[in-house]
Amino acid sequence: MLTRNVLRNRTEDFTDEERSVLESAVERAQTHAAGQTVVRQRCAVDTSTVLVQGLMTRHVHAADGRRHLVAVHVPGDFVDLHAYVLKQLDHDLGALTDVTVALVPHAALDAIQARHPQMARRLWFLTLLDAAMHRQWVMRLASLSALQRVAHFLCEMNAKLLAIGQSDGQRFLLPMTQTDVGEACGLTNVHVNRVLRELREMALCSWRGAQVVLHDPVRLAATGLFAPDYLYLNPAMSLRVAGHTGDANAR
Amino acid sequence: MLTRNVLRNRTEDFTDEERSVLESAVERAQTHAAGQTVVRQRCAVDTSTVLVQGLMTRHVHAADGRRHLVAVHVPGDFVDLHAYVLKQLDHDLGALTDVTVALVPHAALDAIQARHPQMARRLWFLTLLDAAMHRQWVMRLASLSALQRVAHFLCEMNAKLLAIGQSDGQRFLLPMTQTDVGEACGLTNVHVNRVLRELREMALCSWRGAQVVLHDPVRLAATGLFAPDYLYLNPAMSLRVAGHTGDANAR
DNA sequence: CGTGAATTTGAGAGCCATCAATCTAAGTGG
DNA sequence: CCACTTAGATTGATGGCTCTCAAATTCACG
């Protein structure tokens, strides 16, 4: 079941019928090696991509070529669904690890939109989740210190991986270099290193190789001013995420 | 015609029939005074809002209450169309000036989605434009200096206002305080002031009261590393915007 | 004119970038 | 099994961009 993680544990979910419609819309699976660019800016596309296994990045380029991440995608993310509507993308998609993706032709999405309006709305919802996350990334860059940014980023990844069963709430694998984290948080790799040391010394988290351990998720969320509302998780999952508004840290 | 600026001069546009469907989906118009909050975070909503006249801001709050803009909306923007799908918002919408808005009940949007799939796709497109702009805001905050950020912001506002006929390509009204600009660019009002002085001294632009004049749009775009691809303007409009890729400043 | 908001300018401090060097770990080939 | 290579992590020193605090000036408006 290639698409089983799509919308998993969000406030909206597919019905069983819808999920099988989505599954049968998959044309084929494909793999890409770590480091490859999967979809390139400005190329017209007629297929969209569901990430099945591995991690992908979405990054924009400044006109001078500097690269910046706007999203880190986990399995279940319909990484370029918006290309179905926009027809060409304003950014690149890259493979952070070796990845498996499922390809969905836009013609199949046309059929879904014509025959399953409710399901089309759920696909729309998926793209709006991305937008909501973008807004938090804006907030993070604009309002948070380096320490807070990295803490916030780790909380977000923890929550997203928790939703698809790839974190237990404290431990998960995140095969990113400190340079990658810098590109996600608007920091240099050098400063990311210092911040991670500080988080380690504060006993909030550790990160050796790809293994991340959040020793105190609640305090980490407080440090990063993380509140997971914007992830639109379903109530059950929301309760399991540190920083949820039940913590009464709403403004 | 309250909705005439919706999708105006973008790569997708409504047919005449679709536009009249949208127009008749409007329940009523409404006004709000400058400074008012129009839609508040976390409130469930059953109506979406098209901005008809005036300017609105979209802003998120950090958990400590600090406010940050993620968008400045101009007439024709369907400012909270995403609430139709998300059901509740993760941010606030505020009136920057006195504004007129048109209210579209979600029930009317349900009808459109059921009966006009192609039109539904265009509404989806609208929300994806917002996401594309969010990505540029992320880039701006992460990769640009203060001077570049403000230059980029002014180029963006110029392009958006040009598309709806409220800029001539060099001159437009932008009734924002320097504090507002700071919240949009991740800067303090003090530093915004210094940056504007520098842009003035470089003979790139001036800003007295609400009147913005771009004395050299091309050089301003180059300064802010502005490339308008992400606005998905139609070809004719794209050519009129400084920084378009015909300038051969693509990476 | 008086009042308050917004703009403008100055001085000092701090966070983070930059530059540079060292260290570690994981291959790779002989 | 061990030099050799390379990518990434780590640490130090320095500098600059931007924030903070503070005060003066301009502007809008009643």
Side-chain angles (χ1 to χ4, degrees):
Chain A
M1 188 75 165
L2 295 172
T3 62
R4 76 188 174 95
N5 284 323
V6 178
L7 275 180
R8 186 168 163 196
N9 282 313
R10 305 300 179 143
T11 55
E12 294 220 351
D13 200 352
F14 291 118
T15 62
D16 291 343
E17 189 212 338
E18 285 168 353
R19 194 169 290 281
S20 72
V21 169
L22 179 62
E23 189 69 20
S24 60
V26 173
E27 188 177 51
R28 62 194 174 89
Q30 199 175 51
T31 62
H32 294 275
Q36 279 194 322
T37 299
V38 177
V39 181
R40 196 174 300 276
Q41 188 178 16
R42 258 183 249 171
C43 295
V45 288
D46 61 358
T47 305
S48 283
T49 311
V50 177
L51 180 55
V52 175
Q53 198 171 55
L55 295 180
M56 291 178 69
T57 62
R58 214 192 287 202
H59 42 270
V60 294
H61 297 269
D64 63 355
R66 291 181 58 171
R67 180 180 114 126
H68 189 82
L69 302 195
V70 294
V72 175
H73 286 294
V74 303
D77 285 353
F78 213 141
V79 291
D80 60 348
L81 177 55
H82 51 313
Y84 167 57
V85 179
L86 292 175
K87 291 306 169 204
Q88 68 173 34
L89 291 188
D90 47 84
H91 58 273
D92 288 354
L93 284 163
L96 201 52
T97 64
D98 292 348
V99 297
T100 305
V101 299
L103 299 182
V104 179
H106 288 174
L109 295 173
D110 285 337
I112 288 173
Q113 213 185 9
R115 280 181 231 142
H116 304 274
Q118 187 56 31
M119 187 171 170
R121 229 188 61 101
R122 297 220 158 89
L123 294 176
W124 189 356
F125 178 88
L126 270 175
T127 62
L128 296 184
L129 276 182
D130 281 336
M133 289 188 246
H134 291 341
R135 287 190 283 274
Q136 282 295 303
W137 284 48
V138 169
M139 183 285 292
R140 197 162 68 203
L141 290 165
S143 304
L144 302 188
S145 70
L147 187 82
Q148 292 174 315
R149 285 183 212 174
V150 174
H152 189 280
F153 174 71
L154 286 173
C155 290
E156 177 176 309
M157 291 311 299
N158 183 48
K160 287 177 69 170
L161 291 169
L162 184 63
I164 56 167
Q166 294 194 7
S167 164
D168 66 359
Q170 303 210 115
R171 279 154 209 281
F172 53 91
L173 292 176
L174 193 59
M176 297 175 73
T177 66
Q178 294 180 354
T179 300
D180 292 331
V181 177
E183 287 180 349
C185 295
L187 300 169
T188 59
N189 57 345
V190 174
H191 203 63
V192 168
N193 183 277
R194 293 187 224 275
V195 165
L196 286 176
R197 174 158 53 101
E198 195 175 344
L199 288 172
R200 201 162 53 233
E201 287 168 358
M202 293 168 77
L204 292 179
C205 70
S206 61
W207 188 342
R208 301 296 300 178
Q211 178 71 53
V212 176
V213 182
L214 310 187
H215 296 111
D216 190 337
V218 172
R219 213 148 57 82
L220 188 68
T223 300
L225 301 181
F226 176 77
D229 301 27
Y230 69 97
L231 296 173
Y232 291 84
L233 299 170
N234 68 26
M237 183 53 56
S238 199
L239 288 174
R240 296 185 56 197
V241 175
H244 66 87
T245 46
D247 289 358
N249 60 0
R251 66 194 154 92
Chain B
M1 188 77 166
L2 294 173
T3 62
R4 78 190 173 95
N5 283 323
V6 178
L7 274 180
R8 184 167 163 195
N9 282 313
R10 304 301 178 141
T11 56
E12 295 219 352
D13 200 353
F14 292 118
T15 62
D16 291 344
E17 189 211 338
E18 285 169 353
R19 193 169 291 282
S20 73
V21 169
L22 179 62
E23 189 69 21
S24 60
V26 174
E27 189 177 51
R28 61 195 174 89
Q30 200 174 52
T31 61
H32 295 276
Q36 277 195 323
T37 298
V38 176
V39 180
R40 195 174 299 278
Q41 188 178 16
R42 256 181 254 174
C43 294
V45 288
D46 61 359
T47 303
S48 284
T49 311
V50 177
L51 179 54
V52 175
Q53 197 171 57
L55 295 179
M56 290 177 69
T57 63
R58 214 194 286 205
H59 42 270
V60 294
H61 297 268
D64 63 356
R66 291 181 58 171
R67 177 180 116 127
H68 188 82
L69 301 197
V70 294
V72 175
H73 286 295
V74 303
D77 286 352
F78 212 140
V79 291
D80 62 347
L81 177 55
H82 51 310
Y84 167 58
V85 178
L86 293 174
K87 292 304 169 206
Q88 67 173 36
L89 292 189
D90 46 85
H91 58 270
D92 287 356
L93 285 163
L96 201 52
T97 63
D98 292 349
V99 296
T100 305
V101 298
L103 299 182
V104 179
H106 288 176
L109 295 174
D110 285 335
I112 288 172
Q113 213 185 7
R115 280 180 231 143
H116 305 274
Q118 188 56 32
M119 187 172 169
R121 229 188 62 101
R122 298 222 158 89
L123 294 176
W124 190 354
F125 178 87
L126 269 174
T127 62
L128 295 184
L129 275 182
D130 281 335
M133 290 189 245
H134 291 341
R135 286 191 284 275
Q136 283 295 304
W137 285 47
V138 169
M139 183 285 291
R140 196 161 69 201
L141 290 166
S143 304
L144 302 188
S145 70
L147 187 81
Q148 292 173 315
R149 285 183 213 174
V150 175
H152 190 280
F153 174 72
L154 286 173
C155 290
E156 178 176 310
M157 291 310 300
N158 181 48
K160 289 176 67 169
L161 291 169
L162 184 63
I164 56 167
Q166 294 194 5
S167 164
D168 65 0
Q170 302 211 114
R171 279 155 209 281
F172 52 92
L173 292 176
L174 192 59
M176 297 175 72
T177 67
Q178 294 180 355
T179 299
D180 292 330
V181 177
E183 287 180 351
C185 295
L187 300 169
T188 58
N189 59 343
V190 174
H191 204 61
V192 168
N193 183 276
R194 292 188 223 276
V195 164
L196 287 176
R197 172 157 54 102
E198 196 176 343
L199 288 171
R200 199 162 54 233
E201 287 167 359
M202 294 168 75
L204 291 179
C205 71
S206 61
W207 189 341
R208 301 297 300 178
Q211 178 70 53
V212 177
V213 182
L214 311 187
H215 296 112
D216 190 338
V218 172
R219 214 148 58 81
L220 188 68
T223 300
L225 301 181
F226 176 76
D229 300 28
Y230 69 98
L231 296 173
Y232 292 83
L233 298 170
N234 68 26
M237 184 51 58
S238 198
L239 288 175
R240 295 186 56 197
V241 176
H244 67 88
T245 45
D247 289 357
N249 61 0
R251 63 191 158 93

